[in-house]
Amino acid sequence: MKPPTYRYVFGARISAGVNSTVVSFVAMKYSDDGILRAKRFYTSKDEFIKVLSGYWPSPFNPNKIDHFKENHVIGGVFVNDTIRVEVGYCPSLDSLWKIRYSDWPFHGKNEAGWSLNKMRPSLKQEEYLAKRYNIKQLDFDYIVDTSFWKLLYDVSDSTWIENYKFIQ
């Protein structure tokens, strides 16, 4: 009898949540028959990046696959040996909030987003996001699996960004 195989899926939700996080992350483990076997939520982008990149051992990335490289998205862990610090980086993850907000929603950062409305995308932008990334409700749904990687790729594409800003 062969050992069970699993499929590992990652995702993000762009919605103000606990601890003043604008984006939260999820990792899920599915069995061959499509049953969800485990789920972990991340509010720390740094931890999530370390799992996605295979830098940290994780039950959601047991083979330590660099999913950034596999999905052609810039990201990983920068290691500064001089000061012994390991920092996760992914410009696309840093930009996810921009699809929901017209400006950074908290104090301390003066940066513009891409949404046509202050606290959520316009109706047409929301319809576009729902269709393109297979979600029903931006407030509650995680954009997962291949849609998650498509989103990360899109938010790093200047043409996609300009087109998104003007969806009316």
Side-chain angles (χ1 to χ4, degrees), residues 111-129:
E111 194 173 343
W114 308 321
S115 171
L116 292 175
N117 294 330
K118 185 169 178 66
M119 298 304 282
R120 65 181 312 111
S122 70
L123 183 58
K124 291 287 186 195
Q125 284 176 319
E126 277 198 65
E127 288 171 357
Y128 169 79
L129 294 171

Side-chain angles (χ1 to χ4, degrees), residues 49-113:
I49 289 171
K50 288 173 179 171
V51 170
L52 285 178
S53 66
Y55 188 76
W56 272 3
S58 166
F60 296 97
N61 192 355
N63 298 321
K64 296 178 110 182
I65 295 167
D66 185 344
H67 290 282
F68 291 109
K69 185 182 255 182
E70 201 171 80
N71 290 283
H72 311 289
V73 171
I74 295 170
V77 177
F78 171 74
V79 179
N80 183 327
D81 289 329
T82 308
I83 58 173
R84 295 180 184 256
V85 89
E86 303 161 337
V87 180
Y89 68 92
C90 178
S92 294
L93 289 177
D94 294 336
S95 295
L96 288 181
W97 69 269
K98 294 177 180 183
I99 68 171
R100 182 184 181 100
Y101 300 97
S102 62
D103 296 293
W104 178 249
F106 303 112
H107 293 291
K109 191 193 279 188
N110 188 16
E111 194 173 343

Side-chain angles (χ1 to χ4, degrees), residues 134-153:
N134 301 310
I135 58 170
K136 291 185 175 112
Q137 174 51 257
L138 190 61
D139 287 326
F140 305 109
D141 293 343
Y142 280 81
I143 298 169
V144 297
D145 202 10
T146 56
S147 294
F148 169 67
W149 293 106
K150 182 193 294 186
L151 174 65
L152 291 186
Y153 187 82

